[in-house]
Amino acid sequence: MRYFLLRQHPYFKAAFRSIDLRKKVDPAWVCTDRFYLIPKNLVITVDRDETAAFPDIITSPVLLISALILKVAFMFGESVYSRDAILVDPKEQEGRQYHIVLLETIRPGSTLWKVRNLFLMDLDGKQEVVASQDLAESILRRGAKGIALKEIDLPIKEEQDV
């Protein structure tokens, strides 16, 4: 099985800015110990270029995914804890629903990634979203926007014959 880093496309990082997300959600709260501190429903103001669409994934300062990606994750049987967030662009008078998600973090060298299709992994000192090829293809087939994929090699531990 092939795996990919699921990232926000660089164009959308520059064209899409959250105005008050850090005021409402501390990135340190996105963990199992503090996730309860995040309100169940949020309205977050954003500023975006007039030509930029709302991307389906936002990776900074916290991981936000669209309903499309969350639906696909559920279809693949992933357990995802989430909080609802509506991002509003007052300039363009548009809004879109997102989810602040808590994904399982898998250490490099662990074999848990074999049973997961969407998870976080610490790579080169940075936490990255990793998706299986099947999940990534399913997201793209549904017309997701603002996503950049980069194939990665996960460590494979060979079973030894006794």
Side-chain angles (χ1 to χ4, degrees):
M1 173 82 60
R2 293 166 52 188
Y3 286 85
F4 294 85
L5 296 180
L6 193 62
R7 295 177 171 164
Q8 186 176 355
H9 192 280
Y11 168 75
F12 288 92
K13 278 189 176 183
F16 194 88
R17 293 164 298 284
S18 167
I19 295 174
D20 60 355
L21 179 60
R22 283 190 188 270
K23 294 176 190 170
K24 296 181 178 180
V25 178
D26 184 345
W29 294 350
V30 184
C31 66
T32 54
D33 296 340
R34 297 187 191 127
F35 200 67
Y36 71 91
L37 294 171
I38 301 171
K40 291 188 184 207
N41 299 298
L42 292 165
V43 176
I44 299 164
T45 307
V46 297
D47 181 33
R48 63 189 174 107
D49 291 350
E50 57 198 36
T51 58
F54 281 95
D56 282 290
I57 187 168
I58 299 169
T59 54
S60 180
V62 296
L63 179 61
L64 291 148
I65 60 173
S66 67
L68 181 146
I69 294 177
L70 187 65
K71 180 181 173 185
V72 171
F74 285 148
M75 283 176 26
F76 278 80
E78 295 299 316
S79 58
V80 178
Y81 298 103
S82 68
R83 296 288 192 248
D84 294 337
I86 296 179
L87 274 55
V88 178
D89 181 356
K91 211 169 42 175
E92 299 294 322
Q93 297 181 353
E94 286 185 67
R96 186 161 179 203
Q97 183 176 4
Y98 283 84
H99 304 276
I100 300 170
V101 293
L102 179 61
L103 299 175
E104 185 173 0
T105 302
I106 296 177
R107 291 177 289 113
S110 171
T111 57
L112 286 175
W113 56 267
K114 291 180 181 180
V115 296
R116 292 279 177 223
N117 289 291
L118 185 66
F119 54 90
L120 295 174
M121 185 174 268
D122 289 325
L123 299 169
D124 299 325
K126 185 178 176 188
Q127 208 168 48
E128 297 276 3
V129 180
V130 179
S132 68
Q133 178 179 350
D134 293 340
L135 188 130
E137 285 177 351
S138 188
I139 289 169
L140 294 176
R141 272 195 303 268
R142 287 167 172 71
K145 296 180 282 299
I147 293 177
L149 297 174
K150 179 182 177 190
E151 188 173 358
I152 61 167
D153 292 322
L154 292 178
I156 299 173
K157 290 187 176 181
E158 295 295 328
E159 301 287 330
Q160 293 183 351
D161 293 328
V162 179

